[in-house]
């Protein structure tokens, strides 16, 4: 399964496995490099999935007339 087709949760679970293996220190250098490459791909996938999710999020707010309207999600640090 390519990194692009993994769910966020599956990518995060695999990343946790990779981190455990690398922290263990018993992985040969060539395998550690392969795991590192895989991990960076998974991080990119997770970032893309989070960016996509953020674009889909809308915040409900009251309009000037008191009705509920949808407004685009804004970062808190953008204020």
């Amino acid at each position: 399964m390519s990194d692009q087709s993994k769910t966020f949760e599956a990518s995060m679970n695999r990343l946790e496995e990779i981190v455990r293996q690398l922290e263990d220190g018993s992985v040969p250098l060539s395998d550690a490099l392969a795991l590192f490459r895989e991990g960076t791909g998974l991080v990119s996938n997770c970032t893309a999935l989070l960016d996509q999710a953020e674009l889909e999020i809308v915040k409900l707010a009251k309009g000037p007339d008191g009705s509920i309207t949808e407004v685009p999600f804004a970062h808190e640090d953008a204020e």
Side-chain angles (χ1 to χ4, degrees):
M1 177 183 300
S2 73
D3 288 347
Q4 300 288 327
S5 63
K6 287 187 177 181
T7 65
F8 179 81
E9 294 78 12
S11 293
M12 288 299 295
N13 287 335
R14 179 61 183 142
L15 272 170
E16 289 173 1
E17 290 174 21
I18 289 171
V19 168
R20 276 193 295 276
Q21 289 177 329
L22 292 174
E23 286 180 341
D24 181 34
S26 62
V27 178
L29 180 59
S30 60
D31 292 344
L33 288 172
L35 287 170
F36 181 80
R37 278 189 222 103
E38 181 184 355
T40 57
L42 291 166
V43 167
S44 294
N45 182 52
C46 287
T47 300
L49 290 170
L50 287 172
D51 288 346
Q52 181 181 357
E54 183 178 357
L55 292 174
E56 295 177 18
I57 294 174
V58 292
K59 184 167 101 177
L60 292 177
K62 286 189 179 182
D65 62 353
S67 65
I68 300 294
T69 60
E70 290 184 355
V71 295
F73 177 79
H75 286 280
E76 290 181 15
D77 58 355
E79 295 176 3

